[in-house]
Amino acid sequence: MLGIGVIGLGGIAKSHLTALQIAEDEGFARCVAAADLVEELRESHRKEWEIPAVYPNHHKLLEDPNVDAVAIILGHHLHADLTIDALNAGRHVLVEKPMANTLEECDRMIEAEQASGKILQIGLTGRFHPATRKAREILDSNELGPVVTALSRFNKNWGYDGRRYQYRTRWMGGGMWMGNGVHAVDWLTHCIGSRAVAVKAKQSTSMHYQGADDVTTAFVQYANGVPGLLVVVGSVNGCATDGIEAHCALGEIQYTIRGSVRVGQKNEWREVEHDGRHGFCEQYRHFAQSIEMGMRPQTSSEYGRHIIEVLQAAETSSITGREVHLTDYHRMPW
């Protein structure tokens, strides 16, 4: 059974620890250790989740021989350095999205992965939720024919008053675009099934007083000729909306990431059932399988880098008012 050390016990830790409990019950992975700078968090999580060992920092955790791999779920600005430390210590890594704040950081992480011979998987969890997996199954069956165009949306109440300072400033990787737009870009790219080649976008900080965006609209051109649209909004008092609307040659498909799937053909919609499995647990299952089989994960380091390339291109486009053409054609994003 794969021994996972969880680094960071902030808000999203609950989802990861829940997933690892399910994984332990199913016999493929378990949480063997956790690290956080805050003693209160360490102790409360140790008791609640029955974590065998807790440490005050990731350096101590990486000395634990029971840790085969780590999940890094700290602030975006910490992803690169902690990932590199873990890879250099001979551990496989699952790092939360976004992969890093810059392409330069991504490249350093990839270099460390290649030197270590370990697996680096990016936590783009959306594609492992049951609705997304079922939608991908339908698209792959060719029942609807090829995708012609698609819309990806992620709208939520930004929750400014309770949002930590690092997520209010782009300098530390904050803002709606880096924090949640990263999911919307992954969903769109996963749906269309090709690499992005050009981006035209408009961003603004329209609803909050902060040093990061809260609204982005982006048009993305993919290498297979399919266009996609992204609408990502962190509102003051809006409603949560997420998911994909894809128009295909023989019908259409709509799916919300944590919810329903429906297919439209001949002027009728039909609901499609899915397996309902825990998305975070399925992400860990894929991580464990990738390690066991020595294969590149779906959300590999190169793929994670490509998503950052799209995110940064949108920011540049918004600043310059011009379409940005992506140039790293020699890199394979998956």
Side-chain angles (χ1 to χ4, degrees):
M1 189 181 302
L2 187 69
I4 304 278
V6 176
I7 302 175
L9 295 172
I12 199 64
K14 180 178 180 180
S15 295
H16 284 267
L17 292 168
T18 298
L20 287 170
Q21 281 192 336
I22 299 170
E24 183 172 6
D25 290 341
E26 296 187 10
F28 67 87
R30 66 189 181 102
C31 177
V32 297
D36 198 282
L37 296 176
V38 180
E39 182 178 4
E40 182 181 349
L41 280 177
R42 292 198 303 270
E43 289 306 309
S44 63
H45 282 71
R46 181 183 63 80
K47 293 175 182 177
E48 181 178 357
W49 300 95
E50 298 181 348
I51 301 173
V54 294
Y55 299 99
N57 56 62
H58 74 286
H59 297 292
K60 293 292 186 183
L61 181 142
L62 291 172
E63 294 174 359
D64 189 328
N66 295 314
V67 174
D68 303 309
V70 299
I72 297 173
I73 53 178
L74 291 165
H76 307 161
H77 60 295
L78 300 171
H79 288 183
D81 287 344
L82 270 68
T83 293
I84 292 168
D85 284 349
L87 290 168
N88 288 344
R91 301 311 200 277
H92 303 284
V93 177
L94 171 64
V95 61
E96 261 288 358
K97 59 75 192 170
M99 180 176 176
N101 284 343
T102 67
L103 289 175
E104 291 75 17
E105 288 181 335
C106 292
D107 289 339
R108 288 172 48 220
M109 296 162 78
I110 291 170
E111 288 174 7
E113 177 190 25
Q114 292 172 343
S116 70
K118 299 300 179 180
I119 296 291
L120 171 56
Q121 180 172 317
I122 314 306
L124 294 162
T125 316
R127 71 169 56 201
F128 297 103
H129 287 302
T132 312
R133 289 186 287 104
K134 173 55 71 172
R136 185 71 259 170
E137 180 184 318
I138 293 168
L139 290 170
D140 287 345
S141 75
N142 207 33
E143 170 190 347
L144 300 175
V147 176
V148 175
T149 190
L151 164 67
S152 178
R153 293 190 296 171
F154 197 135
N155 308 330
K156 65 182 288 185
N157 188 328
W158 182 235
Y160 180 88
D161 290 341
R163 192 159 293 277
R164 296 176 182 176
Y165 72 94
Q166 64 262 37
Y167 300 121
R168 297 180 183 177
T169 169
R170 177 60 183 87
W171 181 72
M172 299 181 80
M176 183 68 184
W177 186 235
M178 288 295 288
N180 296 291
V182 60
H183 282 309
V185 174
D186 171 47
W187 305 338
L188 185 66
T189 305
H190 182 241
C191 173
I192 291 176
S194 180
R195 70 178 304 144
V197 294
V199 182
K200 179 71 170 70
K202 175 60 180 175
Q203 289 188 313
S204 64
T205 307
S206 300
M207 305 184 194
H208 305 89
Y209 186 73
Q210 61 183 22
D213 65 275
D214 54 21
V215 179
T216 300
T217 303
F219 177 86
V220 183
Q221 177 70 41
Y222 285 87
N224 61 359
V226 177
L229 182 65
L230 292 145
V231 178
V232 177
V233 180
S235 66
V236 173
N237 193 25
C239 296
T241 306
D242 67 53
I244 289 283
E245 178 182 312
H247 296 264
C248 305
L250 301 176
E252 48 191 306
I253 185 169
Q254 295 179 353
Y255 51 101
T256 58
I257 301 307
R258 295 176 185 262
S260 62
V261 182
R262 66 176 189 163
V263 170
Q265 289 179 304
K266 297 180 181 179
N267 260 344
E268 292 183 358
W269 289 101
R270 62 179 174 87
E271 300 292 328
V272 180
E273 294 185 357
H274 53 65
D275 60 24
R277 299 184 68 90
H278 193 282
F280 278 83
C281 183
E282 293 308 297
Q283 175 178 248
Y284 276 105
R285 190 190 308 278
H286 185 69
F287 185 44
Q289 289 173 343
S290 298
I291 292 169
E292 182 180 3
M293 299 175 68
M295 67 181 189
R296 177 177 295 204
Q298 289 184 36
T299 54
S300 68
S301 55
E302 286 285 358
Y303 179 81
R305 183 191 188 279
H306 182 60
I307 299 302
I308 297 298
E309 189 182 14
V310 175
L311 292 167
Q312 290 195 349
E315 293 176 330
T316 300
S317 174
S318 183
I319 292 168
T320 63
R322 299 176 180 177
E323 184 177 65
V324 173
H325 292 263
L326 309 185
T327 58
D328 287 345
Y329 301 125
H330 64 287
R331 305 186 76 114
M332 290 301 294
W334 45 72

